[in-house]
Structures are given as C-alpha cells and as structure tokens.
Amino acid sequence: MNTLKIDKITVKVNDKIILKNFSLTIKSGEIHAIMGPNGTGKSTLTKVIMGDPNYQITKGAITFNDKKINDLKVYERARLGIFLGMQMPMEIEGVSNADFLRTALRSQNENFKLYSFIKELDSQIDKLKMDKDMIHRGINEGFSGGERKKNEILQMHLLKPKVVMLDEIDSGLDVDSLKIVGNSVMEYYEKEKPAILLVTHYQRLLDYIKPNYVHIMSDGKIVKSGDASLAKQIEKEGYDKIKETSTKVQEEIK
Ligand code: ADP
Ligand code: MG
C-alpha cells in the first residue's frame, strides 16, 4: 500500500500564491478526479507533487509513505514511483522515444532485460494504435496533440509508477483515441493498482476511468468532494452553481 499525502500546502509561483492550505490523501487502488474552472491551480497541484522547481511550497508538506518529499528533485520522485502525464508534453529533439525509455528503465532497474523491454514496447504500441516508427523519432517530435497524450500513456505502462497523475489526458484526443486511452489506463489500474490522480474537464473520460472520488477545485482549494455522480452534476449544471452552494455552506459554518 502506497500513500501520497498532501498536507496543508501553500504553493507560490512567481510570488503569486496559487494553492492555499491544500490537503488531499491518495492511496493505492484509489482513483481521484479533480475538476474545476481554468486557472484554479489543477496543473499547479500536479507539478508541485512532481517537483517542478518553478513551484515553491511555502507551508505544509507532501509525504510519500510517511517520508517528506518536499525537497526531492523530479528524478528522485520519479524513482519513488511518482509519474505525471502532462497537459502539454514537450518536444525533445535528438533523444528518441526508445532511448529515453530504455535509459529511464535501466536507471530504475538493474535487472533490465532488453528483450522483454522491446516485447512490451511493441505490444503497448499496438494496443494504443500508435505508429510503429514513432519509437525511433525524437520525443514527441512532430507528434499531434493526441499522439503526445498516447505517448504519455505508453511511458506510464513501461515505467510502472505507483502514483499516476494525468493532467487533461483527454484533451486533443478524438473519440476513438479517448476510448483507447481510457481503457488503457483502466487496464494498467487493474493490473498494478496504482493511486491515480486525474485532472479533467469532462465527464466523458470518467465513462472509461471510473473515479472513487471527485473533487471540485476553485481558487486554489477543494470546494466540494463527492463520488462519480458529482462529475455528472457538473456536466449538467456547470461550476457556478457548485461554487454558490459551497460558498453558502462555508458562510453558514462561519
Ligand atoms: P489550471 O490547471 O487549473 O487551469 P494552473 O495550475 O495551470 O491552472 O494555473 C493556476 C494559476 O497559476 C493561473 O493563474 C496561472 O496563470 C498561474 N501560473 C501557473 N504556472 C505559472 C507560471 N509558471 N508562472 C506564472 N504563473 C503561473
Ligand atoms: Mg491545467
């Protein structure tokens, strides 16, 4: 059992506070979906968990299995098994997808076997319906938005993380690709039982990846948590109504 605990963190970027006193605990086998309007800090949350140096924690702690990881570098967190599929995956020329994955796996596992690596890579590329020759191209070089998202999922399958964060993995995907990606994430979930943190705007992704918890974020905080039905309610009513009622509840508490 792995536990990622975000304990009352305040996060700043360029002297602007984005997350305020933010808490969330995610365990193996749990799927948490985070929804919320643009600019509320959803990507910031995933980046600060991954250790992006542009995002500073000024208060609070992030722990992984009770060990504080606030000061660990991105690669150290990756080695612990934390993974981020980014909202906008970057293009890295000159490093092929295959070299990148092989190097990452070799550094993670001293019993790395080239033959099983190639076999698994081929099988996942087939399942994700990706172009076979992309594996020898530079990372995301000339890839469409949807191909980049599939490439993030391919990396997830090979690196086998314990905590999977997917930031708007559905954006840029056509309906067929959305189904492939959604089912692929669920297949990984069934096999490895990771903790999953899913950022999305749309209920349609949650038709494939079924969350145990749905959290609505607004202005750097979780304003409401519920089960999968909360996402359906958002789809029908939008965020404003939720914000209105949660503000009312907060005022009543005061
Ligand atoms: P979301 O993913 O919920 O749409 P983000 O976490 O990307 O929101 O952004 C939250 C806020 O933080 C936005 O106002 C955004 O402009 C700001 N922000 C995020 N990253 C940076 C950055 N590197 N530099 C300056 N402002 C940033
Ligand atoms: Mg975002």
Side-chain angles (χ1 to χ4, degrees), residues 13-14 16 18 37-45 54-55 87:
V13 56
N14 285 341
K16 186 175 156 200
I18 310 292
N38 293 320
T40 54
K42 302 180 300 297
S43 294
T44 298
L45 174 66
N54 291 315
Y55 299 78
Q87 184 172 356

Side-chain angles (χ1 to χ4, degrees), residues 83-107:
F83 173 88
L84 171 59
M86 282 185 286
Q87 184 172 356
M88 284 180 274
M90 275 184 306
E91 201 171 292
I92 306 173
E93 281 177 52
V95 183
S96 79
N97 282 290
D99 282 346
F100 162 67
L101 284 168
R102 197 169 46 222
T103 308
L105 284 169
R106 275 219 169 101
S107 80

